[in-house]
């Protein structure tokens, strides 16, 4: 960590100690949200060089694991609605990471498949996710990390 980063971290700690968060201090949701934001920022820094935003990780990983998955199935697995998922898929198509394949049985339907470039990006995404999981395990310990994961499922 560089000098300016250490100074910024020390300043943030000081501000957090001086200011109160009232009822939020006891709120699991508040702290879970902060942890989620920190995770996205950390992963985002690692993925910036690939032009991939963190919330695309799940979409690309699920398409990789399920070639030909329909957008409907993808909405169910990610928990995102169609209006959120559609621009993500369109962005991945523009970047030539995902292609749409028409269904042979239903012309109104199509499946999503990763391109070769998309599969190469998923290899990197999985590496970044594994590294972050190791950091979390280091902070919590393996048993607590597994317990937390099961509670969040």
């Amino acid at each position: 960590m560089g000098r300016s980063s250490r100074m910024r971290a020390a300043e943030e700690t000081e501000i957090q100690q001086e200011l109160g968060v009232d009822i939020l201090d006891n709120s699991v949701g508040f702290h879970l949200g902060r942890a989620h934001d920190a995770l996205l920022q950390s992963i985002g820094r690692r993925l910036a060089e690939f032009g991939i935003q963190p919330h695309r990780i799940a979409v690309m990983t699920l398409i990789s694991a399920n070639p030909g998955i329909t957008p409907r199935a993808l909405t169910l697995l990610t928990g995102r609605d169609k209006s959120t998922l559609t621009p993500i898929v369109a962005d991945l198509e523009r970047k030539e990471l995902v292609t749409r394949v028409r269904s042979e049985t239903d012309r109104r339907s199509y499946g999503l498949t990763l391109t070769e470039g998309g599969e190469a990006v998923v290899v990197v995404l999985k590496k970044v996710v594994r590294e972050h999981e190791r950091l979390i395990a280091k902070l919590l310990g393996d048993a607590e990390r597994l317990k937390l994961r099961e509670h969040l499922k």
Side-chain angles (χ1 to χ4, degrees), residues 15-25:
I15 289 170
Q16 289 171 348
Q17 289 172 347
E18 289 178 10
L19 300 176
V21 290
D22 198 9
I23 193 169
L24 296 177
D25 193 42

Side-chain angles (χ1 to χ4, degrees), residues 22-36 148 151-152:
D22 198 9
I23 193 169
L24 296 177
D25 193 42
N26 293 319
S27 168
V28 172
F30 175 71
H31 293 290
L32 193 57
R34 286 185 44 113
H36 180 255
L148 177 61
H151 285 300
L152 294 173

